[in-house]
Each structure stands twice: as structure tokens, then as C-alpha cells.
Amino acid sequence: MKKIALVFSLISAFSFAQTDVEDQAPESMVSLQTAQNVMTYDLRGIYQIADKTCPADQGHTFNSVKYSEGEQQLNTDLKKRINQYLNSDAYAADGHFYIDLTISKSGDIKQINVGPDVPNTRYFYEDLKSAVKKLKGKWIPASCDATPIESKVRVKLLFDSLVIDNNAN
């Protein structure tokens, strides 16, 4: 019985000691932001998504969608807009992502989808969509037998985030 009483008294003593330290901790602790998030990305390519409504094996002539300013200018403009609109301090992105654009028959961006479907990416994806919406150039729509058709383009991106701890401890 004495052993049980001794064990309970030790447990209660440690509990009170822990409570005292926890009560003092918020007053004595200082929080400093010492980390920086560095996000890099690589534009991996811009691809025409296959159009099955204009099969070449049935004698149709298909011409891919093009950016009116040229692919090199599209790369430059897109990188500029992504740098402007992505907030690397608000989120970290790692891995392969894509932006799917639906280009109308008139050459306008009709729809923007970003993927893959990953949890907690809403703000990141909204920023990517904003960057694409701000592109200045027009698109030359794809055509089937010289008739403009609605088409899809995929922009592939590879993101890498790194958190750098600036603490000099």
C-alpha cells in the first residue's frame, strides 16, 4: 500500500511541475519568423491535346492551335505572369502540375482547368488561373480542313519548394 501511495505522489508531483512550466512558457517564449519558402518551377512544355473529331486517317487535314505571338513569347509571357501571381510565401508546391486551356473557335481562352486534383491547392490553383487569364496574346485556333475548331492545350509545369531556415543557431 505504501508503494502505491508513493507512486501516486510522484505522478502528481510531476503533473504539477509540468503544469507550472507550461503556465510560464508563453510569457518566456519568443517566436521569430526565421524561415523563407523558395519556390521554383520549370515550364515543361505546351502541348495540343489530341482531337478525335478530325482524324487524319480519314483524309482530314488538322492544324494545331498556336499562340499568335509564337511559342517562345508564350513561354516568356507565362513565366512573367506566374512570377507576378504566385505567392511563394503562402503555399509550397512540389511535383508535376498542369494547366488545361480550352481555346474557342475565335481564339479566346474559354476555360482554364488546373490539376492534378490535390487537397489544399485551391489558392495555388486560383493564382495559376489568374496568371493565365492575364496573358496578352491571342490564340490561333486549331483547324480541321481549314475550318476553326474548339481545341485544348495542356501546359505542363514542374514545381519545387524549399524552406530555408535562416536561424543562425
Side-chain angles (χ1 to χ4, degrees):
M1 189 69 164
K2 288 182 184 179
K3 289 182 183 179
I4 294 174
L6 180 63
V7 169
F8 281 126
S9 64
L10 286 174
I11 291 173
S12 64
F14 286 120
S15 298
F16 287 121
Q18 186 175 8
T19 303
D20 290 342
V21 170
E22 288 173 354
D23 290 342
Q24 294 172 2
E27 295 174 358
S28 63
M29 290 179 65
V30 178
S31 177
L32 296 173
Q33 178 105 12
T34 59
Q36 180 182 10
N37 185 12
V38 176
M39 186 167 45
T40 60
Y41 67 93
D42 183 23
L43 190 59
R44 304 295 267 186
I46 301 163
Y47 304 94
Q48 169 83 46
I49 296 178
D51 184 275
K52 297 185 185 218
T53 62
C54 188
D57 63 346
Q58 293 180 7
H60 295 288
T61 304
F62 178 79
N63 290 313
S64 295
V65 64
K66 293 178 179 71
Y67 190 64
S68 63
E69 310 291 320
E71 189 172 339
Q72 185 59 39
Q73 189 62 43
L74 175 61
N75 288 341
T76 302
D77 290 348
L78 190 55
K79 285 179 182 181
K80 178 181 174 184
R81 298 299 177 204
I82 288 174
N83 288 340
Q84 287 175 337
Y85 283 90
L86 289 188
N87 183 356
S88 63
D89 292 332
Y91 36 71
D94 284 310
H96 293 276
F97 294 88
Y98 62 83
I99 305 168
D100 283 347
L101 307 174
T102 303
I103 309 299
S104 71
K105 293 177 184 180
S106 62
D108 297 318
I109 297 174
K110 184 176 175 181
Q111 185 176 2
I112 303 169
N113 293 319
V114 182
D117 189 20
V118 178
N120 303 318
T121 54
R122 187 176 115 216
Y123 297 115
F124 173 62
Y125 286 177
E126 290 300 320
D127 287 350
L128 277 176
K129 287 179 183 180
S130 294
V132 171
K133 287 177 186 176
K134 296 299 180 181
L135 289 174
K136 301 290 184 196
K138 195 99 158 120
W139 291 86
I140 300 168
S143 64
C144 182
D145 298 328
T147 303
I149 59 171
E150 187 174 280
S151 58
K152 294 187 185 252
V153 173
R154 175 164 284 183
V155 177
K156 292 185 178 182
L157 302 158
L158 175 62
F159 282 89
D160 186 27
S161 293
L162 175 66
V163 177
I164 300 171
D165 188 1
N166 294 327
N167 194 354
N169 285 339

